[in-house]
Amino acid sequence: MKRIAIAAFVLSGSHANAATLIINGVQTEGTVVITTGAAPPAPTPPPVPPPAPPPSPACAQGMIGGDRVWSSFNEVQLWPVPPVAGSGVLGRAIQFVADSAAYPRGVRLQGVDESQPSKSKDYVVSECAHSFTPVGGNSLCTAIGAGSVAGPLYLRFGPAVPRTFFGQPLPSLDCPLTPGGTYYINFRDNSTAYGTVSSQFVFYNRTD
């Protein structure tokens, strides 16, 4: 019977991993790699960056003449003096910032109209000036058909907070806003005539 030598390994003396490979009688120098059978460690996955914040909404209308910026955002102060007026379908826009550093739990906002208490007005807190679409489509960010007093609107500078009564859940009152975000109080005449209406505002620090 004919015998065929397929392969043989002979370890040389100088290096533990050096060997002579003999295939069919032909010597070939090579290296023997000895493994323990353990799987190599998995590569460390690259860090996953945090998701990007949602883009600002594409507002159809920016601030126009007569709009106001409520920059002196102070509690329990009727603002502005005298009242600000607006007319037409765009009404009037009041810009403010959800200042969570000064008001960590948000504010309770009211509209006040001492000069035209019988005139019905719509107030909407929106992400865009002159937009009557509330933040997140939330009706709690609106006061529709208000008279001498609008609201209050319970603006929460952060996510809505659950309410309970003796352990039973209650409907939320919150209009949640992103802390530090810029928003607008938009108001206009509630009738389709969109006549001239005026308003002032006041807010109170929330502790609830």
Side-chain angles (χ1 to χ4, degrees):
M1 179 182 293
K2 185 177 180 180
R3 295 180 180 178
I4 300 176
I6 301 300
F9 293 94
V10 178
L11 293 176
S12 67
S14 59
H15 299 288
N17 65 339
T20 300
L21 178 66
I22 302 175
I23 301 176
N24 292 334
V26 178
Q27 293 187 0
T28 302
E29 295 296 325
T31 300
V32 175
V33 178
I34 301 174
T35 62
T36 62
T44 303
V48 178
S56 299
C59 298
Q61 177 66 57
M63 299 277 278
I64 60 176
D67 290 344
R68 303 291 295 273
V69 177
W70 198 351
S71 57
S72 54
F73 205 52
N74 297 319
E75 184 188 10
V76 201
Q77 290 187 10
L78 196 62
W79 182 93
V81 179
V84 64
S87 60
V89 68
L90 294 179
R92 181 62 61 223
I94 308 297
Q95 184 187 90
F96 72 98
V97 172
D99 187 356
S100 58
Y103 308 101
R105 298 186 65 81
V107 300
R108 178 165 55 91
L109 173 72
Q110 288 186 221
V112 180
D113 184 5
E114 297 175 339
S115 59
Q116 301 170 303
S118 62
K119 275 214 161 186
S120 185
K121 295 166 286 295
D122 294 338
Y123 294 81
V124 176
V125 176
S126 176
E127 295 174 287
C128 297
H130 302 282
S131 169
F132 288 84
T133 299
V135 177
N138 188 347
S139 62
L140 295 174
C141 302
T142 68
I144 304 301
S148 59
V149 176
L153 300 179
Y154 293 91
L155 308 184
R156 178 74 72 189
F157 297 165
V161 174
R163 300 169 61 234
T164 60
F165 182 74
F166 288 99
Q168 298 301 311
L170 294 175
S172 175
L173 297 176
D174 289 343
C175 169
L177 306 180
T178 300
T182 299
Y183 296 92
Y184 301 85
I185 308 164
N186 301 306
F187 73 94
R188 66 183 176 187
D189 184 2
N190 176 256
S191 75
T192 54
Y194 296 119
T196 300
V197 291
S198 63
S199 186
Q200 293 173 286
F201 302 90
V202 67
F203 74 88
Y204 305 89
N205 183 27
R206 291 187 67 178
T207 57
D208 60 324

